[in-house]
Amino acid sequence: MQGINLLPVFLVGLFGSVHCAGMCGGIVSAFSVAAPAQRAFPVAVATRTSAQVPARVLSYNAGRIASYMLAGALAGGLANGARTLGGLGALQTAGYLLANLMLVALGLHLMDAWRGLAQVERLGGGLWRRLKPLGARLLPIDGPAKLFGLGALWGWLPCGMVYSVLVTAMLSGSAASGATVMLAFGLGTLPMLVTMGVAGAALRAAMQRRAVRIGAGLLVLGFGLLGLARAAIGDQAHWLDLVCIPGMAP
């Protein structure tokens, strides 16, 4: 992991988590009320007391982040295997440009300025259709283990933001570093989803306001543009390393 700066990855997760408010907000908001979760997902959350809410939210999010880490390990391991085939310079450059272009696309998506990233989400649709019915086997959701399982399952929901960071995980150079990249990203999304799980639908509605989405989108867009600028400038501006996503480890 030498040379890998995880702070930008964490910040992308933090600022991009307004997207999570729409994707995962229905599930996590259900933890703060006694009603079942939305029927978009075939799982009813058992009745709970307010004292149980934080533990339930954390169990769910631990499972979600575990799935992110598994996906990152697979992506990083795949890239590590490809490194042995030669032509690494061109591969690394192309991957770095793709990672930052994905961040640009994510920023535009958050601002509702361009919805092309939704097409990327369709790539994971086939896998999700096979995994989604497994949620019925978790009924009733009556303990931390099942909540962890629900989160682990939901972690594979097609999400352009997750796919954007997975490209960075591929560039990290190994399965372990790929998992660490996705851990940093998952931890970045945690404050939003934990707060939403405790506060409920009110915060979810606030995070979907246009001004909030535009602000978050501009920040993520800035990360992508700075990364592209770094690729164009080369090593002349070392300060960009502090705010740009990492490239492939040497």
Side-chain angles (χ1 to χ4, degrees), residues 25-110:
I27 291 293
V28 296
S29 294
F31 296 146
S32 64
V33 295
Q38 290 185 354
R39 296 300 179 180
F41 189 83
V43 174
V45 180
T47 302
R48 83 288 298 162
T49 65
S50 59
Q52 295 174 314
V53 170
R56 298 178 69 88
V57 172
L58 290 174
S59 296
Y60 166 82
N61 280 286
R64 179 179 60 86
I65 293 174
S67 286
Y68 291 168
M69 293 178 66
L70 175 59
L74 293 173
L78 176 65
N80 189 39
R83 288 178 16 138
T84 63
L85 301 179
L88 295 180
L91 177 65
Q92 181 174 351
T93 300
Y96 182 77
L97 290 173
L98 176 61
N100 283 284
L101 286 172
M102 288 287 284
L103 288 182
V104 170
L106 174 59
L108 295 174
H109 181 84
L110 290 172

Side-chain angles (χ1 to χ4, degrees), residues 8-24 64 68 103 106-107 109-111 117 159-162 164-165 185 188-190 192-193 196 207-208 212-213 215-221 223:
V9 179
F10 175 84
L11 293 177
V12 166
L14 182 64
F15 297 134
S17 58
V18 297
H19 180 60
C20 302
M23 297 289 286
C24 303
R64 179 179 60 86
Y68 291 168
L103 288 182
L106 174 59
H109 181 84
L110 290 172
M111 293 187 290
L117 202 59
C159 176
M161 184 172 74
V162 174
S164 299
V165 184
F185 166 74
T189 66
L190 198 57
M192 170 70 74
L193 289 181
M196 190 179 303
M207 290 300 101
Q208 292 300 294
V212 174
R213 293 185 63 89
L218 286 173
L219 289 168
V220 175
L221 176 65
F223 281 119

